[in-house]
């Protein structure tokens, strides 16, 4: 719980610093992962996540969905750094922390692809400070 609180505070601090420096806010709509990365994430998901979250990521038994309205509502406005840390310290449930940082980022890329967020030409990184600057926003921002 302390790590979760620390992560939230760190995300807020990074957002304040970025805003003060005039950095444009980023969201999952800003093409923050690549198709190749999502493909790697799909492989990890099939091997490590599907047994609990289902092949289509819509949830199974006690494991929540990783796509769709409930997932979107739960993560709305939250930094990808928080999602990354949640996966890093608690997943897979039977062997938490066993995935590499790259595998965690790849899984998030796959979740974004499955959620129909656009891919780009730069991979989603593994630095939580950078990931803290990217917000999960379920609806495309209006220009």
């Amino acid at each position: 719980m302390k790590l979760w609180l620390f992560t939230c505070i760190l995300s807020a601090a990074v957002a304040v610093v970025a805003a003060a420096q005039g950095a444009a806010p980023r969201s999952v709509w800003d093409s923050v992962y690549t198709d190749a990365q999502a493909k790697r994430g799909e492989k990890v998901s099939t091997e490590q996540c599907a047994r609990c979250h289902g092949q289509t990521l819509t949830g199974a038994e006690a494991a929540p969905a990783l796509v769709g309205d409930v997932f979107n509502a739960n993560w709305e406005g939250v930094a990808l750094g928080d999602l990354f840390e949640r996966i890093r310290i608690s997943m897979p449930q039977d062997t938490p922390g066993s995935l590499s940082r790259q595998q965690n980022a790849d899984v998030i890329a796959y979740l974004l692809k499955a959620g129909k967020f656009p891919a780009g030409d730069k991979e989603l990184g593994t630095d939580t400070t950078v990931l803290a600057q990217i917000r999960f926003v379920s609806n495309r921002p209006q220009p």
Side-chain angles (χ1 to χ4, degrees):
M1 186 64 178
K2 289 180 184 179
L3 181 59
W4 181 254
L5 179 60
F6 173 77
T7 302
C8 291
I9 291 169
L10 177 64
S11 294
V14 168
V16 168
V17 170
Q21 294 175 344
R26 295 180 66 205
S27 80
V28 293
W29 292 99
D30 293 320
S31 305
V32 297
Y33 70 94
T34 67
D35 281 323
Q37 184 178 30
K39 188 71 171 166
R40 291 193 313 265
E42 180 177 18
K43 183 176 187 297
V44 174
S45 177
T46 298
E47 295 168 356
Q48 300 294 327
C49 310
R51 65 180 172 259
C52 294
H53 295 280
Q55 290 294 334
T56 60
L57 305 177
T58 55
E61 297 180 22
L66 301 177
V67 295
D69 293 341
V70 172
F71 179 83
N72 291 349
N74 286 338
W75 289 96
E76 185 67 32
V78 177
L80 287 189
D82 293 345
L83 178 58
F84 182 91
E85 285 300 306
R86 176 77 175 268
I87 294 168
R88 187 182 71 77
I89 63 173
S90 64
M91 294 293 132
Q93 188 174 15
D94 56 349
T95 56
S98 63
L99 300 178
S100 71
R101 293 182 75 80
Q102 187 61 58
Q103 287 174 311
N104 291 328
D106 293 349
V107 166
I108 292 173
Y110 176 55
L111 298 180
L112 294 175
K113 183 171 183 78
K116 309 227 184 300
F117 298 99
D121 57 6
K122 187 173 181 189
E123 288 198 355
L124 188 65
T126 62
D127 182 339
T128 51
T129 304
V130 174
L131 293 172
Q133 298 173 31
I134 305 169
R135 297 280 168 209
F136 185 91
V137 179
S138 58
N139 294 312
R140 183 183 296 273
Q142 298 300 317

